[in-house]
Amino acid sequence: MKKYSTIEDTIGSTPLVRLQRIPGSAIEARGNVVLAKLEGNNPAGSVKDRAAHSMIRGAEERGEIKPGDTLIEATSGNTGIALAMVAAVRGYKMTLIMPDNLSLERRASMTAYGAKLILTPAKEGGMEYARDLATQMQKDGKGKVLDQFANPDNTRAHIETTGPEIWQQTDGEITHFVSAMGTTGTIMGVGTYLRSRNPSIQVVGAQPAEGSQIPGIRKWPEAYQPKIYHPENVDAFELISQTQAEDMARRLAIEEGIFAGISSAGALVAALRVAERANNATIVFIVCDRGDRYMSTGVFN
């Protein structure tokens, strides 16, 4: 029988495209190119498809879970949607816990894949509260927490797939890698792989400026810092304001035809700062999801 692909087989191998207008003549005059890795092209719409697939497959290979089991995860959206998709394909029940101040599109996407959604009050602690509840539910025997914040399979997904893709797509010419920082799986994994090929590559993280709330970009309190995060693996941090990220999300759509989420735009703000300082640089930033996931927030009005 001919072997046909499944939806899982379409995860990864996303395009890398050059920005044409936003960088401007001054950045071009410095010999710099800014490239966008379009992770919204993954089947469930974000870079988190890679981590979700890796975490579920990894747990299966270790004999920790089997089809029919219930999986639990605290999420701000993209990981939950990706896990719901992979769980649907592989035959798991999925319970997702998310703060109630995140977009309606994210909620609808999770339940469309058949996941059970628990909304927690953002005023009681947001993601930190959601993570604590997931841990308690596992202790109560209600399912298995995959824990994207501490699971090395999160990072491994990007060491094995995203990093090699970027290296190949740039013919090894990449000089700077820029990513929003949430769970930090993407920046840790891609950075690890790229620097295994060229130790001089600079890894830059986008973090929220004081008082800014940008979905997908976090600066965690010490007690909740992801265990997969190693700060020494990031060379520089760029603080991004909510206004800067939202303005850039609109510009990306209008000027480049790239309809991307707010954290993706924040990563571009950081990448442009790098481009204003560097010379003869090949700068890659992650477009971690699509803009249609944020329509109800009004950011594109």
Side-chain angles (χ1 to χ4, degrees), residues 131 147-156 179-189 191-192 195 203-208 218-239:
R131 288 170 65 179
D147 194 1
Q148 59 181 313
F149 304 96
N151 193 326
D153 291 328
N154 182 348
T155 306
R156 180 166 65 92
S179 176
M181 295 178 64
T183 65
T184 72
T186 303
I187 196 168
M188 290 292 102
T192 295
R195 288 210 283 221
V203 176
V204 180
Q207 291 191 322
R218 287 294 309 264
K219 190 170 184 180
W220 297 96
E222 188 66 32
Y224 291 89
Q225 189 128 280
K227 292 180 181 178
I228 61 173
Y229 173 54
H230 302 288
E232 67 275 12
N233 292 345
V234 181
D235 296 294
F237 302 90
E238 294 289 345
L239 299 181

Side-chain angles (χ1 to χ4, degrees), residues 10 56 82 105 126 148 190 240 285 296-297:
T10 69
I56 288 180
E105 293 89 350
Q148 59 181 313
V190 175
I240 313 299
F285 75 99
S296 66
T297 68

Side-chain angles (χ1 to χ4, degrees), residues 70-131:
T70 297
L71 309 178
I72 302 170
E73 191 72 14
T75 176
S76 62
N78 284 333
T79 300
I81 295 167
L83 283 171
M85 181 268 288
V86 179
V89 174
R90 303 195 67 80
Y92 292 91
K93 301 169 186 174
M94 191 76 235
T95 298
L96 297 167
I97 307 168
M98 187 174 82
D100 62 7
N101 64 337
L102 296 169
S103 73
L104 298 176
E105 293 89 350
R106 294 185 179 207
R107 302 184 200 181
S109 297
M110 293 174 193
T111 56
Y113 285 117
K116 176 184 177 183
L117 180 60
I118 299 174
L119 294 176
T120 60
K123 62 183 180 181
E124 291 189 21
M127 274 300 297
E128 291 84 351
Y129 182 94
R131 288 170 65 179

Side-chain angles (χ1 to χ4, degrees), residues 44 52 60 64 68 90 127 132 139 238-239 289 295:
E60 287 178 341
E64 298 170 358
R90 303 195 67 80
M127 274 300 297
D132 289 343
K139 289 179 181 177
E238 294 289 345
L239 299 181
D289 64 4
M295 292 298 290

